[in-house]
Protein backbone atom coordinates (compact mmCIF):
# COMPACT_ATOMS: atom_id res chain seq x y z
CA UNK A 1 0.00 0.00 0.00
CA UNK A 2 2.96 2.34 0.44
CA UNK A 3 3.25 2.77 -3.33
CA UNK A 4 -0.29 4.16 -3.56
CA UNK A 5 -1.98 1.08 -5.01
CA UNK A 6 -4.50 1.23 -2.15
CA UNK A 7 -6.21 3.99 -4.13
CA UNK A 8 -7.28 1.42 -6.72
CA UNK A 9 -8.42 -1.29 -4.31
CA UNK A 10 -11.56 -1.79 -2.26
CA UNK A 11 -10.45 -4.44 0.21
CA UNK A 12 -7.46 -4.57 2.53
CA UNK A 13 -5.95 -7.69 4.05
CA UNK A 14 -3.97 -7.49 7.27
CA UNK A 15 -0.78 -9.58 7.00
CA UNK A 16 0.49 -11.63 9.96
CA UNK A 17 2.07 -9.56 12.70
CA UNK A 18 5.75 -9.53 13.50
CA UNK A 19 8.85 -10.00 11.38
CA UNK A 20 8.09 -12.44 8.59
CA UNK A 21 9.69 -13.06 5.23
CA UNK A 22 8.37 -10.99 2.33
CA UNK A 23 7.35 -14.18 0.55
CA UNK A 24 5.33 -15.32 3.57
CA UNK A 25 3.73 -11.88 3.78
CA UNK A 26 2.73 -11.96 0.11
CA UNK A 27 1.43 -15.52 0.33
CA UNK A 28 -0.75 -14.53 3.27
CA UNK A 29 -2.91 -12.58 0.80
CA UNK A 30 -4.11 -15.88 -0.65
CA UNK A 31 -6.04 -16.70 2.50
CA UNK A 32 -8.53 -13.94 1.67
CA UNK A 33 -9.34 -15.85 -1.52
CA UNK A 34 -9.77 -19.13 0.30
CA UNK A 35 -6.52 -20.50 -1.13
CA UNK A 36 -4.24 -22.49 1.12
CA UNK A 37 -0.65 -21.35 1.19
CA UNK A 38 1.34 -23.61 -1.14
CA UNK A 39 4.30 -25.61 0.13
CA UNK A 40 7.52 -24.06 -1.07
CA UNK A 41 9.88 -26.28 -3.02
CA UNK A 42 12.98 -25.39 -5.06
CA UNK A 43 12.16 -25.15 -8.72
CA UNK A 44 13.87 -24.80 -12.08
CA UNK A 45 12.83 -21.65 -13.93
CA UNK A 46 12.48 -21.86 -17.67
CA UNK A 47 15.82 -21.26 -19.40
CA UNK A 48 16.27 -21.22 -23.15
CA UNK A 49 18.55 -23.69 -24.88
CA UNK A 50 20.65 -20.78 -26.12
CA UNK A 51 21.22 -19.44 -22.60
CA UNK A 52 22.04 -22.89 -21.26
CA UNK A 53 24.50 -23.57 -24.10
CA UNK A 54 26.12 -20.18 -23.58
CA UNK A 55 27.04 -21.07 -20.00
CA UNK A 56 27.96 -24.66 -20.86
CA UNK A 57 30.45 -23.35 -23.40
CA UNK A 58 32.02 -21.08 -20.80
CA UNK A 59 32.34 -23.94 -18.32
CA UNK A 60 33.90 -26.21 -20.94
CA UNK A 61 36.45 -23.56 -21.91
CA UNK A 62 37.28 -22.97 -18.25
CA UNK A 63 38.19 -26.62 -17.93
CA UNK A 64 37.08 -29.39 -15.66
CA UNK A 65 38.40 -29.05 -12.18
CA UNK A 66 38.07 -31.53 -9.37
CA UNK A 67 37.09 -29.07 -6.67
CA UNK A 68 33.68 -27.55 -5.98
CA UNK A 69 32.48 -24.75 -8.24
CA UNK A 70 31.81 -21.64 -6.16
CA UNK A 71 30.10 -18.70 -7.83
CA UNK A 72 30.55 -15.38 -6.04
CA UNK A 73 28.35 -12.42 -6.94
CA UNK A 74 29.77 -9.35 -5.14
CA UNK A 75 27.67 -6.61 -6.69
CA UNK A 76 24.39 -4.99 -5.80
CA UNK A 77 22.30 -2.36 -7.49
CA UNK A 78 23.80 1.12 -7.36
CA UNK A 79 20.86 2.04 -5.13
CA UNK A 80 21.94 -0.62 -2.66
CA UNK A 81 25.69 -0.03 -2.89
CA UNK A 82 25.97 0.42 0.88
CA UNK A 83 25.05 -3.28 1.25
CA UNK A 84 28.21 -4.43 -0.58
CA UNK A 85 30.87 -6.41 1.23
CA UNK A 86 34.36 -4.97 0.53
CA UNK A 87 36.19 -6.31 -2.53
CA UNK A 88 39.32 -7.09 -0.52
CA UNK A 89 37.24 -9.32 1.76
CA UNK A 90 35.92 -11.23 -1.25
CA UNK A 91 39.49 -11.62 -2.53
CA UNK A 92 40.69 -13.08 0.77
CA UNK A 93 37.67 -15.36 0.89
CA UNK A 94 38.36 -16.56 -2.66
CA UNK A 95 41.95 -17.38 -1.77
CA UNK A 96 40.84 -19.44 1.23
CA UNK A 97 38.30 -21.33 -0.86
CA UNK A 98 40.95 -22.21 -3.45
CA UNK A 99 43.79 -22.92 -1.06
CA UNK A 100 41.94 -24.89 1.63
CA UNK A 101 39.08 -26.49 -0.30
CA UNK A 102 40.47 -26.68 -3.83
CA UNK A 103 37.49 -24.69 -5.07
CA UNK A 104 37.10 -23.22 -8.52
CA UNK A 105 36.01 -19.65 -7.86
CA UNK A 106 34.00 -17.80 -10.51
CA UNK A 107 33.14 -14.13 -10.01
CA UNK A 108 29.85 -13.16 -11.65
CA UNK A 109 28.84 -9.62 -12.42
CA UNK A 110 26.02 -7.54 -13.78
CA UNK A 111 25.76 -4.20 -15.57
CA UNK A 112 28.35 -1.70 -14.24
CA UNK A 113 29.80 -4.36 -11.89
CA UNK A 114 32.72 -5.53 -14.05
CA UNK A 115 35.26 -3.27 -12.23
CA UNK A 116 34.21 -4.85 -8.93
CA UNK A 117 34.74 -8.37 -10.26
CA UNK A 118 38.10 -7.44 -11.79
CA UNK A 119 39.19 -5.78 -8.55
CA UNK A 120 38.46 -8.99 -6.63
CA UNK A 121 40.29 -11.18 -9.11
CA UNK A 122 43.22 -8.77 -9.11
CA UNK A 123 43.43 -9.08 -5.34
CA UNK A 124 43.36 -12.89 -5.31
CA UNK A 125 46.70 -14.64 -5.03
CA UNK A 126 45.40 -18.13 -5.78
CA UNK A 127 43.55 -17.27 -8.96
CA UNK A 128 39.92 -17.35 -9.99
CA UNK A 129 37.78 -16.97 -13.08
CA UNK A 130 35.76 -14.09 -14.43
CA UNK A 131 32.25 -15.14 -15.40
CA UNK A 132 31.10 -14.26 -18.90
CA UNK A 133 28.84 -11.30 -19.42
CA UNK A 134 25.29 -12.47 -18.67
CA UNK A 135 22.91 -10.58 -20.88
CA UNK A 136 19.76 -12.38 -19.71
CA UNK A 137 18.40 -13.72 -16.45
CA UNK A 138 18.40 -17.13 -18.11
CA UNK A 139 22.17 -17.01 -18.55
CA UNK A 140 22.70 -15.97 -14.94
CA UNK A 141 20.26 -18.63 -13.74
CA UNK A 142 22.10 -21.28 -15.75
CA UNK A 143 25.44 -20.24 -14.26
CA UNK A 144 24.11 -20.33 -10.70
CA UNK A 145 22.47 -23.72 -11.28
CA UNK A 146 25.87 -25.23 -12.09
CA UNK A 147 27.44 -24.05 -8.85
CA UNK A 148 28.05 -26.20 -5.80
CA UNK A 149 27.88 -23.04 -3.68
CA UNK A 150 26.70 -19.49 -4.33
CA UNK A 151 28.00 -16.59 -2.24
CA UNK A 152 26.64 -13.06 -2.41
CA UNK A 153 25.35 -10.11 -0.50
CA UNK A 154 21.75 -8.93 -0.25
CA UNK A 155 20.98 -8.75 -3.96
CA UNK A 156 18.69 -10.11 -6.67
CA UNK A 157 20.86 -13.08 -7.75
CA UNK A 158 20.72 -14.27 -4.14
CA UNK A 159 17.00 -14.89 -4.65
CA UNK A 160 17.65 -16.77 -7.90
CA UNK A 161 19.97 -19.15 -6.03
CA UNK A 162 17.33 -19.48 -3.33
CA UNK A 163 14.67 -20.33 -5.91
CA UNK A 164 16.93 -23.01 -7.39
CA UNK A 165 17.68 -24.49 -3.96
CA UNK A 166 21.43 -24.06 -4.52
CA UNK A 167 23.49 -24.06 -1.29
CA UNK A 168 24.29 -20.45 -0.56
CA UNK A 169 25.96 -18.09 1.87
CA UNK A 170 24.33 -14.66 2.10
CA UNK A 171 26.32 -11.79 3.63
CA UNK A 172 23.93 -9.32 5.28
CA UNK A 173 24.61 -5.88 6.69
CA UNK A 174 21.92 -3.24 7.18
CA UNK A 175 18.80 -5.15 6.15
CA UNK A 176 16.89 -7.78 8.09
CA UNK A 177 17.53 -11.31 6.73
CA UNK A 178 14.39 -12.56 8.44
CA UNK A 179 12.42 -10.40 5.99
CA UNK A 180 14.73 -10.13 2.98
CA UNK A 181 17.05 -13.12 3.28
CA UNK A 182 17.23 -16.37 1.29
CA UNK A 183 14.06 -18.45 1.31
CA UNK A 184 16.09 -21.61 1.15
CA UNK A 185 16.79 -24.42 3.62
CA UNK A 186 20.30 -24.74 2.15
CA UNK A 187 21.23 -21.15 3.03
CA UNK A 188 23.42 -19.69 5.76
CA UNK A 189 23.23 -15.98 6.55
CA UNK A 190 26.36 -14.33 7.94
CA UNK A 191 25.78 -11.03 9.73
CA UNK A 192 26.84 -9.00 12.76
CA UNK A 193 24.39 -8.52 15.60
CA UNK A 194 25.01 -4.81 16.14
CA UNK A 195 22.86 -2.30 17.99
CA UNK A 196 22.18 -0.39 14.78
CA UNK A 197 21.45 -3.43 12.63
CA UNK A 198 19.12 -4.31 11.08
CA UNK A 199 17.93 -0.87 10.07
CA UNK A 200 15.65 0.75 7.52
CA UNK A 201 18.11 3.34 6.26
CA UNK A 202 18.67 3.81 2.54
CA UNK A 203 22.27 4.94 3.03
CA UNK A 204 24.88 4.99 5.79
CA UNK A 205 28.20 6.74 6.33
CA UNK A 206 29.98 3.86 8.11
CA UNK A 207 28.21 0.51 7.34
CA UNK A 208 30.09 -1.19 10.17
CA UNK A 209 27.47 -3.92 10.04
CA UNK A 210 28.84 -5.16 6.70
CA UNK A 211 32.52 -4.16 6.81
CA UNK A 212 33.10 -5.84 10.18
CA UNK A 213 32.19 -9.28 8.81
CA UNK A 214 35.48 -11.09 8.27
CA UNK A 215 36.40 -13.39 5.37
CA UNK A 216 37.12 -16.09 7.95
CA UNK A 217 33.52 -15.99 9.19
CA UNK A 218 32.14 -16.37 5.69
CA UNK A 219 34.63 -19.14 4.93
CA UNK A 220 33.47 -21.15 7.95
CA UNK A 221 29.88 -20.96 6.70
CA UNK A 222 30.94 -21.87 3.14
CA UNK A 223 32.99 -24.83 4.30
CA UNK A 224 30.12 -26.11 6.42
CA UNK A 225 27.72 -26.01 3.47
CA UNK A 226 30.18 -27.55 1.03
CA UNK A 227 30.96 -30.35 3.48
CA UNK A 228 27.27 -31.01 4.02
CA UNK A 229 26.60 -31.23 0.30
CA UNK A 230 29.89 -32.76 -0.79
CA UNK A 231 29.74 -34.82 -3.96
CA UNK A 232 25.98 -34.28 -4.36
CA UNK A 233 26.34 -31.81 -7.22
CA UNK A 234 29.12 -30.87 -9.63
CA UNK A 235 29.33 -28.44 -12.50
CA UNK A 236 28.70 -31.35 -14.88
CA UNK A 237 25.72 -32.65 -12.90
CA UNK A 238 23.74 -29.48 -12.32
CA UNK A 239 19.99 -29.61 -11.89
CA UNK A 240 18.35 -29.93 -15.34
CA UNK A 241 16.78 -26.69 -16.47
CA UNK A 242 13.49 -26.51 -18.34
CA UNK A 243 13.69 -25.35 -21.93
Amino acid sequence: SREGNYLLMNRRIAPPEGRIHKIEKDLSLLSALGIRKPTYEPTSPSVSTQDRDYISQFLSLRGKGTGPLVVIHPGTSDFGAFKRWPSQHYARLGDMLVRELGAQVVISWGPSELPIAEDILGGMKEGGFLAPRTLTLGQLTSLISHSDLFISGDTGPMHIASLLGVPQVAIFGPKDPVIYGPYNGNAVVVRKDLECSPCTKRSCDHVTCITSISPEEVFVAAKRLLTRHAHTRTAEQARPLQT
Side-chain angles (χ1 to χ4, degrees):
S1 296
R2 289 180 299 178
E3 286 75 26
N5 59 323
Y6 66 92
L7 296 172
L8 304 176
M9 299 179 180
N10 55 23
R11 184 178 179 188
R12 296 187 185 185
I13 307 301
E17 296 182 358
R19 294 162 59 214
I20 61 171
H21 199 281
K22 290 282 287 185
I23 292 177
E24 293 287 342
K25 184 176 182 180
D26 291 342
L27 289 177
S28 69
L29 297 176
L30 297 175
S31 62
L33 302 175
I35 301 174
R36 294 181 60 184
K37 185 180 74 173
T39 301
Y40 173 82
E41 293 182 0
T43 186
S44 297
S46 178
V47 174
S48 70
T49 300
Q50 292 83 354
D51 285 347
R52 186 173 55 186
D53 290 346
Y54 177 75
I55 296 301
S56 295
Q57 182 180 24
F58 161 73
L59 294 173
S60 65
L61 292 174
R62 180 184 52 81
K64 296 180 179 180
T66 58
L69 177 65
V70 179
V71 173
I72 294 177
H73 192 92
T76 65
S77 65
D78 291 337
F79 178 79
F82 73 116
K83 299 186 292 183
R84 293 175 186 166
W85 202 41
S87 294
Q88 63 268 28
H89 285 11
Y90 275 116
R92 284 175 54 196
L93 171 64
D95 282 339
M96 285 187 281
L97 290 167
V98 175
R99 184 171 55 247
E100 301 191 32
L101 301 179
Q104 303 169 84
V105 175
V106 174
I107 310 297
S108 59
W109 49 283
S112 77
E113 296 172 356
L114 180 57
I116 299 174
E118 292 178 331
D119 189 35
I120 293 170
L121 288 171
M124 287 181 62
K125 299 176 181 178
E126 301 293 341
F129 300 90
L130 181 68
R133 181 188 297 273
T134 49
L135 299 175
T136 69
L137 284 177
Q139 292 171 357
L140 179 59
T141 298
S142 183
L143 175 63
I144 295 174
S145 75
H146 280 80
S147 64
D148 295 294
L149 179 67
F150 182 77
I151 301 175
S152 74
D154 175 11
T155 186
M158 176 196 74
H159 296 292
I160 295 178
S162 183
L163 179 67
L164 292 167
V166 171
Q168 64 183 136
V169 176
I171 306 167
F172 263 70
K175 300 306 176 183
D176 190 347
V178 172
I179 300 173
Y180 303 105
Y183 199 66
N184 179 357
N186 288 333
V188 173
V189 173
V190 180
R191 64 177 295 271
K192 289 290 187 181
D193 188 17
L194 303 181
E195 183 178 351
C196 61
S197 176
C199 73
T200 57
K201 293 182 178 179
R202 294 183 180 270
S203 64
C204 181
D205 58 1
H206 62 81
V207 290
T208 305
C209 57
I210 190 77
T211 58
S212 61
I213 297 173
S214 71
E216 289 76 14
E217 291 173 290
V218 179
F219 175 75
V220 168
K223 182 178 180 180
R224 184 163 75 245
L225 277 175
L226 284 172
T227 300
R228 184 191 306 171
H229 298 280
H231 309 304
T232 58
R233 300 179 70 226
T234 66
E236 292 75 32
Q237 298 172 322
R239 179 179 293 105
L241 294 172
Q242 300 174 7
T243 57

